[in-house]
Amino acid sequence: MSSRKPPVTPAQRPRNPGPPGSVHDGAGAPSRPPVLRQPGRAADPDHRSARHPAQRPAPATRPAPRSPRMHPTLVAVAHGSRDPRALHTVLDLLERVRELRPALDVRLGHIELNRPLLADTLRDTDGAAVLVPLLLGRGTHVKRDLPAAAARAGHLRIRIADPLGPHPLLVEALFERLLEAGWTPGTAVVLASAGSLDPDSAADTRRSAELLSERLGGVPVVPAYASAATPGVADAVRTLAARGHRRAAVASYFTAPGRFASASAAAASGPAAEPLGAHPALARLVLRRYDEALARGARAPELATA
């Protein structure tokens, strides 16, 4: 009998007792090669235990800390009114603004008559802020009162946005308020606003009247004022009646209810629309003015110091 040993077959070769994680792990079959993961990617489920806790990425749902320098506070500046409906309306409007941009710090300040007053809001604000006037044209409050308030808030870097009007989004809100009040095509309209001694404010109201006339298909839209300027709302209604428009509607060019808005509506010979209030287009316009002010500031080396 021959003393040669028979050749060893592959099945009879001893298993490689290599360490776990090597090409062979001692279980008799090749294991998967190590997974090379890029930093910051989630670990393979089979290798989570091998990753040091300090190397594991933060949960994706953890919000990143927000720097106030990245998002200046939006301070909406309302005029203020003794009518209790005015404050509720402005608060509803700002809730719509927050819904559109949840990460933005949105605050309210009044020029007079309601709290919080603008000075108090600015005192409690840090870093940077954009004042967005809830006013519909250039007038004394926009040109004088807001810059003065910004100058007194020396701890803040402040930009002042343009007033809301004139703008197509305002016209869309006016149009829908008229429809809600029962306006029908062909009916002439009086655009009733608060009024101002500043000629720029009157120019802004006239421009809004022109835009609204275009939106209504070319019907006459006459600007009129509740105070400080002419014509008054009742006079504008009579003028339209003399031209054959005996059922004129009144479009309320006011942000919120108040004495002027109520007096203007009472002068209508046809449907009288509600103030702009918390209309969705108005909320979008508030953010549009905020963004425009930031874009202007981005072209400068830094925020203007009050």
Side-chain angles (χ1 to χ4, degrees):
M1 181 179 295
S2 172
S3 62
R4 290 185 60 188
K5 295 181 180 180
V8 178
T9 65
Q12 295 173 315
R13 291 192 180 113
R15 295 174 180 172
N16 186 349
S22 64
V23 175
H24 289 79
D25 60 6
S31 65
R32 289 182 295 179
V35 178
L36 300 179
R37 294 185 295 275
Q38 297 178 1
R41 293 184 57 184
D44 187 291
D46 293 338
H47 296 270
R48 284 177 183 162
S49 60
R51 189 165 191 168
H52 191 278
Q55 298 174 325
R56 294 173 189 164
T61 57
R62 181 182 299 169
R66 182 174 66 87
S67 169
R69 295 181 183 274
M70 293 175 58
H71 302 288
T73 300
L74 189 161
V75 178
V77 184
H79 182 278
S81 172
R82 291 185 176 87
D83 190 320
R85 296 173 298 169
L87 177 58
H88 294 299
T89 300
V90 172
L91 291 175
D92 288 344
L93 172 62
L94 296 189
E95 278 305 305
R96 283 190 178 274
V97 172
R98 293 184 183 99
E99 290 169 2
L100 290 172
R101 200 166 298 181
L104 184 60
D105 184 5
V106 178
R107 305 187 185 190
L108 172 62
H110 292 92
I111 294 172
E112 59 182 358
L113 300 176
N114 287 116
R115 295 185 182 278
L117 292 172
L118 178 58
D120 296 332
T121 299
L122 295 181
R123 184 193 61 224
D124 296 335
T125 302
D126 296 321
V130 176
L131 307 187
V132 180
L134 303 182
L135 306 170
L136 304 179
R138 296 165 294 170
T140 301
H141 294 312
V142 172
K143 292 182 176 181
R144 187 186 68 189
D145 295 342
L146 268 61
R152 288 190 293 269
H155 64 291
L156 288 173
R157 295 177 303 282
I158 293 179
R159 299 178 186 133
I160 300 176
D162 292 335
L164 299 182
H167 195 278
L169 284 171
L170 270 184
V171 172
E172 195 61 31
L174 287 167
F175 172 66
E176 293 191 11
R177 291 292 188 234
L178 281 168
L179 290 180
E180 293 167 359
W183 178 86
T184 54
T187 303
V189 173
V190 173
L191 181 64
S193 70
S196 170
L197 295 175
D198 191 306
D200 287 337
S201 178
D204 290 342
T205 303
R206 288 195 300 270
R207 179 57 182 154
S208 292
E210 293 169 0
L211 293 172
L212 181 58
S213 177
E214 294 173 7
R215 183 66 178 86
L216 297 178
V219 302
V221 176
V222 178
Y225 310 95
S227 68
T230 57
V233 178
D235 292 335
V237 170
R238 285 191 289 269
T239 298
L240 285 172
R243 298 176 186 171
H245 302 280
R246 300 192 177 278
R247 191 172 180 271
V250 168
S252 186
Y253 200 44
F254 299 95
T255 307
R259 178 168 59 91
F260 287 161
S262 297
S264 299
S269 58
E274 293 292 325
L276 297 163
H279 192 281
L282 203 63
R284 294 199 301 273
L285 182 53
V286 169
L287 288 171
R288 178 77 61 88
R289 293 306 195 207
Y290 172 87
D291 291 338
E292 289 170 351
L294 290 182
R296 287 196 302 268
R299 294 191 288 270
E302 60 182 40
L303 291 169
T305 301

